[in-house]
Amino acid sequence: MKLMILDGNSIVNRAFYGVGYLSSRSGQPTGAIYGFLNILQSLLDEEQPEALAVAFDEKGPTFRHLAYDDYKATRKPMPEELASQLPILRDILSAMNIPFYSMQGWEADDLLGTVGQLCENQGWDCVIVTGDRDSLQLVDDHVTVKLVISKGGKTQSVNYTPAVFSAEYGFAPKGLIDLKALMGDSSDNYPGVPGVGEKTAKALMAQFGSLDGVYDHLDSPDIKPAVRKKLAEGKGSAYQSYDLATIRKNAPMEFSPEDNRIVPWDRQRVLELFRSLDFGRLIEKYRLLEPETVPTEECSQMEEIPVTADNLEEVLSQLKNQTEPVALWCNEDISVLALCMGDRVYSAAQQELGLMEWPRLLDGVFTPALPKITHDCKSMMTALLELGCGIEGFVYDTALAAYLLEPARSGYPLDGLLEHYCHQAISPGPGGCAAAVKALYEVLPALVRQEGMERVYFDIDFPLCPVLANMEHTGVLVDRDALTAFEAMLSQRISDCEALIYGYAGGPFNINSTKQLGTLLFETLELPHGKKTKSGYSTNIDVLEGLKDKHPIIPAIIDYRMLTKLRSTYAEGLLKVIGRDGRIRTTFQNMVTATGRLSSANPNLQNIPVRTELGGEIRKMFVPAPGNVLVDADYSQIELRVLAHMAGDSVMRDAFLSGEDFHTVTAATVFGVSPEEVTPQLRRSAKAVNFGIVYGISDFSLAGDLGVSRKEAKAYIEGYLSHYQGVRDYMKNVVADARETGFVVSAYGRKRALPELKSTNFNVRSGAERMALNTPIQGTAADIMKIAMLRVSKRMEQEGLSARLVLQVHDEIIVECPESQEETVKQLVTEEMESAASLSVPLIAEAHGGKSWYEAK
């Protein structure tokens, strides 16, 4: 029989620092608990023990502290965000019926040693799980120490038996106490023999076998005089350290392996605790949601009625007379759907209903007269447009509501949200999905209202869905022949680069192999390099940029990387996704970024290089249909204008009101020159400072961006904030307010929770402070852009124009329109973008037309 006991404090510490910062919606840190539970499950899978227990340290001094005043005196106190998780972890262990032990005056190590001894006495094997090597002294024929270690960013474990320990150390496990007595322990802060380090201590152990053996042979000629003197002077310290290092096996605890046998959990209590911590994935992993936890009156438990040719007329009649919103679910290509109406659930499949009857059902469902609730309506609308169906009549999107409530979630799957918000498991089949939509609709609107986000939901995000769907359906035309020629040109330039690199290298090698490239640059060519790691030398772009002047091979390698990236991602990548009509259709992601900005995927058309000549060549490939032009309208410095408005900075506001170039004004201020003396380089530096401030940039990052020292970068930031004092005060206040409330908010009410602001980890906390500074600015700018898109789309429709929105990229809107409507569209887009928000500074947009995206830009 086998009992496994965990060193609770050791494992929870590893989990805390390994998982990183996690928290529940209420702001309770949860990363240590989450990591501990995952480690625990892995251990159970590996060891399959019959019994399980956990040992914890108690607060307060132990007998070792009383024996030695400086014992563990150098240890930092436990971070509060970890300490706050320990009581909750104990509650979870209780709910899991996993016994845990702690004793005042004794360390968890002594409890581990005692448990190991008691197991051996009663004929049980014991596996001690810890991250502390001190416990290796407990290894014997019945006790295995499973040492948990971190390697390469991953948690691994090694089982130490007497043979494994002896092979590594060269002596029996109990000898670890003697080794510690000689070399001391900086972590526990006992000295051992002053001046004797690990290397000397191991040599002494190898020769004399124990601490007593060393002192019994102190006069041996094999011991160097200097070492002999240290040993003689440190004998008292050595034996005191021996006592401190010895893990006791006689703690006065009541323990029997039989009492710790693994038994079923209190599943309901575990479920409640996991819910309070927002552990949705663990709830799913452990299948804690049993069918009986779903109320029987819920729609998800109703009988699913298939729609057939026999009952189609009845269903269509119900749809026609329906006044309350219908919960609707469809698969990706709208070949399967389900409806939850009142007390009934209907499901239908095109294959079963038939090609003749299916369009009639679609017409009945997707009529504008039928109010519909669904999950991710934008994707559904795009699919409907492909089928020629209407996209009117949608009144609520449960996925979009969940996104507003938790914008930093990694996704919004229907089943996960149903468990998270309704504490229900989704029933199988299409009908269960429709019922889940209904259940979410009964909860989410009230939460959105409670959080004060109805305006951003109903005025911005929800009405934007059909606009985005139409843009996805329309796509943007690409000149296939030009793109093919561009790909061929890149391939030739890549071949030329390869030949040049091989010439400098003295022969061919794999340029894409970091290891081979590192060996060539730093061993063969002997270029200066950083520290070599197990994986080899770093050859990232920062390293290469620093070597540009050291050897002509470096610029060739940089060019090679740039060209291969352009070819694979843009030339070859775009050619693969051109539709039969010559148009590329991206997906506009409206539930991905935590700030509310739109993103683009499959392909990503928002990351096409702008500042390089070859990046510009790619934009030339995006063209209008014959007889049309592209109109590109771009906001000018929108985030800085939003900052001026939200910070209420009069100096910054006056600079924008003056109509002068803001970056030039800032350069003159920060660098202490007149506006006439501002050079292009100074303006570029000022631009970096301006936008860096918006993103909460540090002096370290700014120094890297500008190629100056940290001292100079710090002076630039201080000079900036001294001049724009309103911005300085705003930055202080927004972080302070967020730390108090736990969230930041845009001008339109879009919220983002930032519990990491209370983290004791400096890097985590600093990152959250940067988010607190940037999110309200970027979120407000994103909301303004969305409002502009809504206004432009509505105005073009009202005026009967043939113009169509085709792209939105960062601060740009791109419209395709007939040549005869170009001037009208430019004026219209400019007017609607500039009037999208009323700020205390002018909102400026500039529109240009052309026969390609490049020309219009």
Side-chain angles (χ1 to χ4, degrees), residues 487-736:
E487 191 272 336
M489 180 273 292
L490 289 175
S491 296
Q492 182 57 54
R493 288 186 59 174
I494 289 169
S495 296
D496 294 343
C497 268
E498 286 177 338
L500 188 61
I501 292 167
Y502 294 156
Y504 288 128
F509 69 101
N510 185 355
I511 304 172
N512 297 314
S513 166
T514 300
K515 184 176 182 180
Q516 291 185 34
L517 183 60
T519 300
L520 169 71
L521 297 181
F522 306 123
E523 294 182 9
T524 306
L525 300 180
E526 298 182 342
L527 297 177
H529 58 81
K531 184 179 180 181
K532 184 179 181 181
T533 65
K534 290 181 180 179
S535 58
Y537 301 98
S538 172
T539 62
N540 63 30
I541 188 61
D542 292 334
V543 171
L544 295 180
E545 287 287 349
L547 297 172
K548 277 198 300 189
D549 299 330
K550 303 296 183 182
H551 195 285
I553 197 174
I554 301 299
I557 294 169
I558 293 174
D559 284 347
Y560 173 85
R561 285 189 176 176
M562 180 267 293
L563 292 167
T564 53
K565 170 72 173 177
L566 282 172
R567 182 177 66 178
S568 63
T569 302
Y570 301 111
E572 295 175 344
L574 293 178
L575 282 169
K576 290 177 183 177
V577 294
I578 298 176
R580 284 179 293 181
D581 59 355
R583 303 181 83 90
I584 284 178
R585 291 169 173 85
T586 185
T587 298
F588 292 102
Q589 298 175 307
N590 58 338
M591 295 185 290
V592 170
T593 69
T595 60
R597 292 193 73 155
L598 297 172
S599 62
S600 166
N602 304 316
N604 184 352
L605 298 182
Q606 293 191 343
N607 69 345
I608 292 176
V610 178
R611 296 179 180 86
T612 63
E613 179 183 347
L614 288 174
E617 289 296 317
I618 296 171
R619 291 195 171 207
K620 291 179 181 178
M621 313 300 169
F622 290 84
V623 296
N628 286 262
V629 294
L630 294 181
V631 172
D632 185 311
D634 193 355
Y635 273 123
S636 172
Q637 303 161 347
I638 185 172
E639 290 186 352
L640 290 172
R641 293 171 190 271
V642 168
L643 174 61
H645 172 78
M646 295 188 72
D649 191 300
S650 58
V651 177
M652 183 178 282
R653 187 170 61 239
D654 289 345
F656 279 118
L657 288 169
S658 71
E660 297 178 65
D661 178 69
F662 184 69
H663 298 315
T664 299
V665 172
T666 300
T669 301
V670 172
F671 303 116
V673 297
S674 68
E676 293 76 21
E677 296 175 300
V678 173
T679 65
Q681 179 57 47
L682 286 179
R683 186 184 181 279
R684 282 193 293 272
S685 297
K687 185 175 181 180
V689 177
N690 276 326
F691 286 109
I693 292 294
V694 173
Y695 286 86
I697 199 169
S698 65
D699 53 7
F700 177 80
S701 296
L702 183 61
D705 291 345
L706 298 181
V708 299
S709 68
R710 288 187 67 175
K711 183 177 180 181
E712 288 177 283
K714 185 177 182 181
Y716 292 163
I717 294 173
E718 289 176 348
Y720 183 99
L721 296 177
S722 176
H723 184 67
Y724 298 121
Q725 295 185 21
V727 172
R728 179 195 62 195
D729 295 341
Y730 168 79
M731 292 172 68
K732 290 180 181 178
N733 293 337
V734 75
V735 173

Side-chain angles (χ1 to χ4, degrees), residues 437-458:
V437 172
K438 180 185 177 185
L440 286 171
Y441 181 62
E442 292 172 354
V443 174
L444 294 179
L447 293 176
V448 171
R449 182 167 55 253
Q450 178 182 313
E451 292 296 323
M453 288 193 284
E454 282 192 308
R455 180 188 180 191
V456 74
Y457 184 90
F458 287 110

Side-chain angles (χ1 to χ4, degrees), residues 91-244:
D91 286 345
I92 292 174
L93 293 175
S94 293
M96 289 178 163
N97 291 317
I98 299 173
F100 53 88
Y101 301 87
S102 62
M103 293 190 69
Q104 193 67 47
W106 295 78
E107 293 185 45
D109 284 352
D110 302 306
L111 305 189
L112 298 175
T114 302
V115 167
Q117 185 64 59
L118 291 172
C119 283
E120 185 173 346
N121 294 345
Q122 298 182 40
W124 281 62
D125 290 329
C126 180
V127 176
I128 294 172
V129 183
T130 181
D132 186 354
R133 284 184 173 269
D134 289 352
S135 294
L136 295 180
Q137 64 182 268
L138 301 173
V139 171
D140 61 26
D141 290 339
H142 287 276
V143 175
T144 298
V145 170
K146 194 176 192 72
L147 191 67
V148 178
I149 57 176
S150 297
K151 189 173 183 181
K154 296 182 179 180
T155 299
Q156 301 177 355
S157 60
V158 178
N159 280 14
Y160 277 85
T161 61
V164 172
F165 180 92
S166 298
E168 182 173 329
Y169 283 87
F171 49 82
K174 288 185 179 179
L176 185 63
I177 306 172
D178 306 76
L179 181 69
K180 290 281 187 175
L182 289 166
M183 63 181 278
D185 190 312
S186 59
S187 175
D188 288 342
N189 198 43
Y190 54 80
V193 176
V196 172
E198 182 178 3
K199 184 178 180 180
T200 301
K202 284 185 173 179
L204 291 169
M205 284 293 296
Q207 192 161 9
F208 302 109
S210 68
L211 184 65
D212 286 342
V214 170
Y215 280 101
D216 287 345
H217 298 85
L218 197 59
D219 295 331
S220 169
D222 294 329
I223 299 178
K224 296 178 180 178
V227 175
R228 183 182 299 115
K229 181 181 179 182
K230 293 175 183 176
L231 289 168
E233 293 175 349
K235 184 174 182 179
S237 176
Y239 278 95
Q240 183 182 41
S241 297
Y242 184 93
D243 184 64
L244 294 171

Side-chain angles (χ1 to χ4, degrees), residues 289-410:
L289 283 170
E290 300 293 342
E292 59 265 24
T293 65
V294 183
T296 56
E297 69 270 20
E298 286 292 341
C299 188
S300 57
Q301 290 297 299
M302 296 176 187
E303 180 185 0
E304 187 171 314
I305 304 170
V307 179
T308 65
D310 293 335
N311 66 1
L312 177 59
E313 292 300 335
E314 177 189 344
V315 173
L316 292 175
S317 177
Q318 286 190 52
L319 289 172
K320 190 173 183 180
N321 296 320
Q322 185 77 18
T323 55
E324 292 298 314
V326 170
L328 167 69
W329 176 87
C330 297
N331 66 350
E332 288 186 6
D333 63 356
I334 322 291
S335 61
V336 177
L337 63 81
L339 302 159
C340 190
M341 297 190 281
D343 59 355
R344 294 188 176 185
V345 179
Y346 293 97
S347 64
Q350 178 181 4
Q351 186 175 2
E352 295 171 9
L353 188 57
L355 294 177
M356 298 297 292
E357 304 291 3
W358 184 251
R360 296 184 62 210
L361 178 60
L362 293 187
D363 288 343
V365 172
F366 296 109
T367 171
L370 181 68
K372 295 172 284 289
I373 311 149
T374 193
H375 195 74
D376 187 8
C377 69
K378 191 268 294 178
S379 298
M380 187 181 293
M381 289 173 176
T382 302
L384 289 169
L385 290 170
E386 289 295 314
L387 295 175
C389 295
I391 59 174
E392 295 81 16
F394 289 91
V395 296
Y396 210 84
D397 181 343
T398 51
L400 199 58
Y403 164 67
L404 275 184
L405 293 168
E406 297 183 85
R409 279 180 75 109
S410 58

